Amino acid sequence: MDWKTFQALLSGVNKYSTAFGRIWLSVVFVFRVMVYVVAAERVWGDEQKDFDCNTKQPGCSNVCYDHFFPISHIRLWALQLIFITCPSFMVVMHVAYRDDRERKHRAKHGENAKLYNNTGKKHGGLWWTYLISLFVKTAIEIAFLYILHHVYDSFYLPRLVKCEVSPCPNIVDCYIGHPTEKKVFTYFMVGASALCIVLNICEIIYLISKRIVRIANKINRRKNNLPYRLSTLKLEDKIRASAPNLSTPC
């Protein structure tokens, strides 16, 4: 995977994000992508070669490895990183759509004509797109954590596993390479994923709270302007009533 291209694509998301979104992006790159590229890939390496079973039965080691490791940690994390960042591109595409509409509107009505005050400001449809992307990212994170928890029994990696899958002749002892190191990295990646979920939830609460406050302020402004409008209407009615009727013949 070309992580430099991946980083370049996501760098455009940062300018449309809130403070929580920027922290989330930093956590993804520093604590997940960097750890994945620099350390995790080397620790796992060719993990099937490090899976050693005390038997010479042809095919037994391969079958046992597939039984205990149906999905490789490293490939699962790579898929997770790709899937959790894809919803952020929804926001970038929505802003690009707004920019295109703004360009066409100015070409038609002149350079001073504006369709949006700021195409990157989270109002209207863009606010909903941003909020939906957060819900999707959170759901993907939870789904991958559940898959990892379900497949690997609470993220635990034992030093020794006992295999009795055919074509193994009997119960075979198989040893996992670097079990403690792999366990540490697994817990670290799970913790980083949990932190990203917390940041997503905080950002969802922040966006919804800010929207509620804005709507409440708008309602209060309307209520405050209502007495002034009523007094203005009453004053206009009094002026009309006191004014002479010019349409009546003398």
Side-chain angles (χ1 to χ4, degrees):
M1 179 183 290
D2 189 358
W3 293 109
K4 290 183 179 178
T5 306
F6 183 71
Q7 183 178 3
L9 288 171
L10 275 180
S11 60
V13 181
N14 198 31
K15 58 184 176 181
Y16 307 123
S17 302
T18 63
F20 289 106
R22 294 187 182 96
I23 296 171
W24 176 87
L25 201 59
S26 300
V27 170
V28 168
F29 276 118
V30 176
F31 294 103
R32 300 179 75 172
V33 174
M34 292 297 293
V35 170
Y36 177 91
V37 174
V38 174
E41 280 187 318
R42 296 181 183 180
V43 170
W44 262 263
D46 192 356
E47 50 190 313
Q48 192 167 356
K49 287 183 179 179
D50 296 331
F51 189 78
D52 188 24
C53 297
N54 60 352
T55 181
K56 298 298 182 181
Q57 177 71 25
C60 179
S61 297
N62 291 337
V63 171
C64 289
Y65 176 81
D66 183 68
H67 177 73
F68 288 104
F69 297 95
I71 304 172
S72 172
H73 283 75
I74 212 74
R75 292 178 180 87
L76 188 67
W77 289 332
L79 282 174
Q80 184 179 9
L81 288 171
I82 292 169
F83 276 101
I84 63 168
T85 50
C86 282
S88 299
F89 296 131
M90 294 166 56
V91 180
V92 176
M93 288 188 290
H94 197 139
V95 174
Y97 168 73
R98 279 186 165 189
D99 289 335
D100 185 60
R101 284 193 66 193
E102 183 72 22
R103 181 181 57 79
K104 290 179 179 178
H105 183 76
R106 289 188 178 185
K108 185 177 181 180
H109 299 284
E111 287 296 323
N112 294 327
K114 280 189 176 183
L115 193 60
Y116 302 100
N117 291 327
N118 184 358
T119 54
K121 199 166 186 180
K122 290 180 286 295
H123 284 308
L126 185 60
W127 185 86
W128 285 105
T129 302
Y130 195 92
L131 189 67
I132 290 169
S133 72
L134 290 174
F135 278 110
V136 173
K137 283 192 290 187
T138 306
I140 291 171
E141 291 275 23
I142 293 171
F144 272 94
L145 282 180
Y146 173 77
I147 291 170
L148 196 65
H149 177 273
H150 180 72
V151 172
Y152 293 110
D153 190 21
S154 303
F155 318 115
Y156 181 72
L157 283 175
R159 290 183 172 85
L160 169 69
V161 291
K162 294 186 178 294
C163 178
E164 49 183 338
V165 183
S166 179
C168 297
N170 46 34
I171 298 176
V172 177
D173 293 336
C174 295
Y175 301 90
I176 299 171
H178 311 289
T180 304
E181 199 172 8
K182 288 178 179 178
K183 193 188 303 181
V184 169
F185 275 106
T186 300
Y187 287 145
F188 181 86
M189 295 297 277
V190 168
S193 182
L195 178 59
C196 288
I197 291 172
V198 172
L199 288 171
N200 285 335
I201 292 172
C202 289
E203 191 169 12
I204 289 169
I205 294 171
Y206 169 76
L207 285 173
I208 294 175
S209 302
K210 193 175 179 181
R211 186 67 176 265
I212 291 171
V213 169
R214 188 184 297 120
I215 292 171
N217 289 336
K218 191 181 290 185
I219 293 171
N220 288 333
R221 282 197 300 268
R222 287 179 181 176
K223 286 181 179 179
N224 292 334
N225 290 334
L226 186 61
Y228 174 76
R229 290 178 182 177
L230 290 174
S231 62
T232 305
L233 290 173
K234 288 179 181 180
L235 183 61
E236 288 177 355
D237 290 339
K238 287 180 181 180
I239 292 171
R240 289 195 190 100
S242 60
N245 192 354
L246 298 176
S247 61
T248 306
C250 296

